[in-house]
Each structure stands twice: as C-alpha cells, then as structure tokens.
Amino acid sequence: MNTFFLTNTPLFHGISENEISELLSCLGAKERKFKKDEIVFRAGSSISEIGLVESGSVNIVVNFYWGNSHIFGHIGKGQIFAENYAAIPGKELLCDVVACEETEVLFLSMRNMLTTCPRGCAFHTRIIQNMLRISAQKNLNLSSRMMHTASKSLRERLLSYLSEQALEHGSSHFTIPFDRQQLADYLAVDRSAMSNELSKMQKDGLITYHKNEFTLNGST
Amino acid sequence: MNTFFLTNTPLFHGISENEISELLSCLGAKERKFKKDEIVFRAGSSISEIGLVESGSVNIVVNFYWGNSHIFGHIGKGQIFAENYAAIPGKELLCDVVACEETEVLFLSMRNMLTTCPRGCAFHTRIIQNMLRISAQKNLNLSSRMMHTASKSLRERLLSYLSEQALEHGSSHFTIPFDRQQLADYLAVDRSAMSNELSKMQKDGLITYHKNEFTLNGST
DNA sequence: GCCCTTTCGTTGTTGCAACAACATACTCGT
DNA sequence: ACGAGTATGTTGTTGCAACAACGAAAGGGC
C-alpha cells in the first residue's frame, strides 16, 4: 500500500507517512482492484465505508426508471467517493459507482473514523477535520453553482457568476479558471449563446474582458 | 439557555439534556439576540463558530456586484448555519446572514467541536457524527437537485425527479411531498408549463397520476 | 346553502436561448 | 512559415418554455 501517495490526498492532508500507516489499521483499510466497468458500489445498497481512488478513476452513474442512464460525476486519483452515503447510517445509494478503467480503490470504515479509537491516536482528529472540510467544500461548490443556475436568463447567470468571482478575488479585475465551453457547462447554457451574451454585456458597458480576464464596471 | 429545546435539533440529536449542558461549555457556547435586519455574519469575514437558531429565523443573503441582492436561503428554528464556512479555516463568507425577525442565535465553536476535548467526553463523538451527517445530507440534497435541474428540457427534469422518487420509495407507485408550485420551484420551471407537460406525459403513457400520487409505467 | 381561497389544468402568445453554420483568431508541431 | 487543430465570436433560424389569462375543481369557514 502506497502510503506516500496518500499524504498528497485531501483526506490525509497534514498527516505524515508513518502516521498514516498507523491510521490505516484504525480505519480498517482494505484495498481492492476493479476491472473496467466493474461495479464498486451498487444503487440500493447501504454502506459504511468510503472509497478512495488510488489509481484509475470511477464514474458516478445514475440509472433512470425507463432504462437510460446518466454519468453524473467522475472521481479521479486521490479523491474520495460515497462519503455522503457512508456518513448517513442506513441510507441507500441512489446511484452506481462504476470503475471506468483498471482501478484500485482503498476502502476506509466511516464508523471507525467517527468513533474515537481506543488508542486515542491524535491523527484521528485531523482526519475528521479533513473529512468535514471536504464535505463543507463540496457543499459550498454545489451551493454556488446552484445559485448561478437558479436564474432563468443567461445574462443573470453570468452576472451572478462574475459577481461571485469578483468577491472571491477581492477585486473587480480577475481571471476565471474556465474556458468558454467549461463556463457554459458550469452555468448550464449554450456556449455560443453565452459568447454572444458576453459581447452584448461588454457593449452595454457592464463588463470588459479579454480571454479569461474580466473587469466588472461599476455604475460609478 | 433552553437545553431541552436543543435535544430536538438535528445537531444535538441523540444527546440527552444533561449531556448537552456539559457539551455546551466544551463548545464555548455563547448566546446572542438579534433585532430584525441585524447582521449576524457579514460577507468577507472568516469565522470559526457555527450558528444555531434558537428562536426566530435568519436569511442567507447574497449581494451582487451591481448592488442588487438575492435571498438564497432561509434558516428556521433548530437549524444551523454557516457551518460550511466554519469548517474551512480562513475561508471568507460570500454571503451575509441577516436576522429576518427578532432572533436568538447560539454560537458554537467549530474548532472545539473538532478537537477531542481534554476531558474526552463521549458526547463529543456523537455531535461530530451529527455534524457530518447534516453536512452529508445537505450534499445529497443539493446533488439531487443539481442533477434534476441539469437537463434543459422540462420533460427530462420531470423524468429525472420521478425516477429518483421511485428509486427512493422502492416502488413505481409513490406520493411526492410537493404540491405543483413547490415542485416547479424545486425543478426551476414554470408551474403551468409543468402541469401541461405532466398531462402530455400521461397522454404518452409514461406516467399516471392523480394529485400527488404518481405511478411510473415501465415499457414492459 | 354560500362565498372565498387555493390548487390545478388548459390555451394562446411571445421572447429568449438552443442550435447550426460559419468566420476569425490563436496554438502548436514540424 | 505553414497547415492542422482548437478556441472564440458572429449571425440567422427555430423550438421550447415562460408568461398571462382563464376555467374548473376542491376545500374551508360561517
């Protein structure tokens, strides 16, 4: 088991390599390999272990009643998955988790993570903090996106997003981390329509932009 | 401080009244009253305490760059707020929290919650579990809604939602917890357009419904 | 019984944004 | 410098869903 690799994952962030070795036994760590298209977790089951992708990647797949399915998320190397279900005892998964290539997964017991281990090891505290931080961060990301996609008009979505970016950067001039296609996907709009709207907004004097550099023009 | 009331909140669920009294001092609990429209947390500040509404309610308000603002959420009695920011040290709030009436808030230190207290009290574990469960549940709720509002067509949104409901109820016949207006808001569509689409879907033989009772008709 | 309110379904109109198709950069390897 | 490939901006068309307005049905109070 590659403990060094784990030091760079969000879950084990701030925990040293030998501390991790110790911690892994606390958490009842189990490793397992999956072939492409093999199912890691199945919808309907309830779990108490989270998964951590050591190599390869997995997809979060939602199956609809009428047979069609939709890939809702993609979890890459170092990321964890199913933690939301593992944190709610008895909760049944509403989606499948499927290996989308040759993938190694590390399973960790959420129960053990959340009960102070008998040895009272110090890193335990740290991993709980990390866990909650990851969860909180996901919440904020989802909330933000939800807020931006709430408005029906394309312009309002852009204004909402740009407004938040300005706030986050603490300046009306900033660079966004998306190209046009990615931004369009994020806001759930059509790329060309968005490009069009952006240039209209520039004509209207609301914003100025060049590539990924944006400046918001206040009414002042 | 009304500790009995706290036993019925999600955060203190499963913890007895006298255990709570003990826990509150661990968590550096502080109580404060707010008048209507008074600001509880201000955008830009970074916090380490979560808030719990003891009476009244608060709004989550997002301020846009161009001056307009938008109420993004409403937190009622017994619910907690700002926990996502408190869980990420140094993270700055992107929204204001404003009392929308005469409101009493209980502040609890997230730092203390996440470090095993020197006395090693047992309820500590429980509150951490509750905290993570709340966070996980919010994540699942947001994810679901995000998934349903992702599709652009009204019909697909409905199919996505109904599909999930069927899965959650473990049956193709179920009752939804929304009336039409609420469902429309949840899916971010127009109510009348949705009503129209629902009856079309019934004509097409996809579903059968009466009021809030739905039945999904499989291709079989 | 009555009125009043709320909820739900229906229709027609209209506006916005998706879509397609193309033009114009920009990037990169050779 | 050149062409291939990608990213972005522009234009017109069209379809879908928001919107407004209305009617029917279902409670709820007196």
Side-chain angles (χ1 to χ4, degrees), chain A residues 105-130:
Chain A
V105 176
L106 185 66
F107 293 99
L108 304 168
S109 161
M110 182 66 105
R111 215 192 314 273
N112 292 10
M113 192 183 300
L114 292 181
T115 53
T116 25
C117 77
R119 296 189 254 157
C121 75
F123 341 118
H124 219 113
T125 300
R126 184 60 194 245
I127 205 172
I128 289 175
Q129 288 172 354
N130 287 347

Side-chain angles (χ1 to χ4, degrees), chain A residues 43-44 62-66 70 72 83-85 87-89 91-95 110-111 114-116 125-126 128-129 131-147 149-150 152 156-164 166-168 171-172 184 188-190 201 206-207 216-219, chain B residues 43-44 62-66 70 72 83-85 87-89 91-95 110-111 114-116 125-126 128-129 131-150 152 156-164 166-168 171-172 188-190 201 206-207 216-219:
Chain A
V62 178
N63 294 294
F64 290 84
Y65 182 79
W66 290 267
H70 182 234
F72 183 61
E83 78 277 13
N84 289 326
Y85 291 102
I88 308 175
K91 178 80 181 177
E92 290 181 6
L93 271 78
L94 295 179
C95 53
M110 182 66 105
R111 215 192 314 273
L114 292 181
T115 53
T116 25
T125 300
R126 184 60 194 245
I128 289 175
Q129 288 172 354
M131 189 74 225
L132 198 64
R133 191 168 35 75
I134 293 170
S135 187
Q137 189 61 61
K138 284 194 184 181
N139 253 310
L140 289 179
N141 292 342
L142 282 169
S143 295
S144 285
R145 185 153 176 222
M146 184 69 71
M147 190 177 68
T149 51
K152 298 200 196 306
E156 274 184 31
R157 292 193 188 189
L158 282 166
L159 292 179
S160 172
Y161 173 73
L162 294 172
S163 214
E164 188 190 75
L167 196 58
E168 224 165 8
S171 158
S172 60
V189 297
D190 179 70
M201 285 162 68
L206 282 170
I207 60 173
L216 308 192
N217 303 326
S219 47
Chain B
V62 178
N63 294 295
F64 290 83
Y65 182 79
W66 289 267
H70 182 233
F72 183 61
E83 78 276 14
N84 290 325
Y85 291 102
I88 308 175
K91 178 79 180 177
E92 289 181 7
L93 270 78
L94 295 179
C95 51
M110 182 66 106
R111 215 192 314 275
L114 292 180
T115 53
T116 25
T125 300
R126 183 61 194 245
I128 289 175
Q129 287 172 355
M131 189 73 224
L132 198 64
R133 191 169 35 75
I134 292 170
S135 187
Q137 190 61 60
K138 284 195 183 179
N139 253 308
L140 289 180
N141 292 343
L142 283 168
S143 294
S144 284
R145 185 154 177 221
M146 182 68 71
M147 192 177 68
H148 302 138
T149 50
K152 297 200 197 307
E156 274 183 33
R157 292 193 189 190
L158 281 166
L159 292 178
S160 172
Y161 174 74
L162 294 172
S163 215
E164 188 190 75
L167 195 58
E168 225 166 8
S171 158
S172 60
V189 296
D190 180 68
M201 284 161 68
L206 282 170
I207 61 174
L216 309 192
N217 303 325
S219 46

Side-chain angles (χ1 to χ4, degrees), chain B residues 34-141:
Chain B
F34 291 88
K35 294 193 201 312
K36 178 169 156 58
D37 293 330
E38 212 178 335
I39 295 201
V40 181
F41 287 131
R42 187 180 297 277
S45 56
S46 76
I47 59 177
S48 64
E49 291 178 327
I50 68 167
L52 189 153
V53 176
E54 291 191 298
S55 70
S57 60
V58 299
N59 275 336
I60 311 296
V61 180
V62 178
N63 294 295
F64 290 83
Y65 182 79
W66 289 267
N68 45 341
S69 66
H70 182 233
I71 295 175
F72 183 61
H74 181 84
I75 312 287
K77 188 177 174 182
Q79 305 297 118
I80 59 174
F81 59 89
E83 78 276 14
N84 290 325
Y85 291 102
I88 308 175
K91 178 79 180 177
E92 289 181 7
L93 270 78
L94 295 179
C95 51
D96 289 337
V97 179
V98 184
C100 44
E101 50 190 310
E102 183 90 5
T103 300
E104 262 179 316
V105 176
L106 185 67
F107 293 99
L108 304 167
S109 162
M110 182 66 106
R111 215 192 314 275
N112 292 11
M113 192 183 301
L114 292 180
T115 53
T116 25
C117 77
R119 296 189 255 157
C121 75
F123 341 119
H124 218 114
T125 300
R126 183 61 194 245
I127 207 172
I128 289 175
Q129 287 172 355
N130 287 346
M131 189 73 224
L132 198 64
R133 191 169 35 75
I134 292 170
S135 187
Q137 190 61 60
K138 284 195 183 179
N139 253 308
L140 289 180
N141 292 343

Side-chain angles (χ1 to χ4, degrees), chain A residues 19-218:
Chain A
E19 288 166 347
I20 288 179
S21 320
E22 219 177 306
L23 202 44
L24 284 180
S25 68
C26 281
L27 300 176
K30 283 177 291 185
E31 218 173 24
R32 197 182 141 193
K33 279 193 175 69
F34 291 88
K35 294 192 201 312
K36 178 170 155 60
D37 293 331
E38 213 178 335
I39 295 200
V40 182
F41 288 131
R42 188 179 297 277
S45 55
S46 77
I47 60 177
S48 64
E49 291 179 324
I50 68 167
L52 189 154
V53 177
E54 291 191 298
S55 68
S57 61
V58 299
N59 275 336
I60 311 297
V61 180
V62 178
N63 294 294
F64 290 84
Y65 182 79
W66 290 267
N68 45 342
S69 66
H70 182 234
I71 296 175
F72 183 61
H74 181 85
I75 312 287
K77 189 176 172 179
Q79 305 299 116
I80 61 175
F81 58 90
E83 78 277 13
N84 289 326
Y85 291 102
I88 308 175
K91 178 80 181 177
E92 290 181 6
L93 271 78
L94 295 179
C95 53
D96 290 337
V97 179
V98 184
C100 46
E101 51 189 307
E102 183 92 6
T103 300
E104 262 179 316
V105 176
L106 185 66
F107 293 99
L108 304 168
S109 161
M110 182 66 105
R111 215 192 314 273
N112 292 10
M113 192 183 300
L114 292 181
T115 53
T116 25
C117 77
R119 296 189 254 157
C121 75
F123 341 118
H124 219 113
T125 300
R126 184 60 194 245
I127 205 172
I128 289 175
Q129 288 172 354
N130 287 347
M131 189 74 225
L132 198 64
R133 191 168 35 75
I134 293 170
S135 187
Q137 189 61 61
K138 284 194 184 181
N139 253 310
L140 289 179
N141 292 342
L142 282 169
S143 295
S144 285
R145 185 153 176 222
M146 184 69 71
M147 190 177 68
H148 301 139
T149 51
S151 13
K152 298 200 196 306
S153 101
L154 215 166
R155 174 171 295 206
E156 274 184 31
R157 292 193 188 189
L158 282 166
L159 292 179
S160 172
Y161 173 73
L162 294 172
S163 214
E164 188 190 75
Q165 285 295 306
L167 196 58
E168 224 165 8
H169 286 84
S171 158
S172 60
H173 179 84
F174 52 87
T175 305
I176 66 171
F178 291 141
D179 63 25
R180 291 292 183 272
Q181 185 60 60
Q182 291 170 326
L183 180 56
D185 289 344
Y186 180 76
L187 297 178
V189 297
D190 179 70
R191 182 198 57 79
S192 70
M194 190 187 70
S195 261
N196 194 358
E197 193 62 38
L198 277 172
S199 60
K200 275 186 199 165
M201 285 162 68
Q202 191 162 32
K203 274 201 194 88
D204 292 353
L206 282 170
I207 60 173
T208 318
Y209 67 95
H210 177 68
K211 297 228 180 198
N212 296 349
E213 277 186 53
F214 286 78
T215 309
L216 308 192
N217 303 326

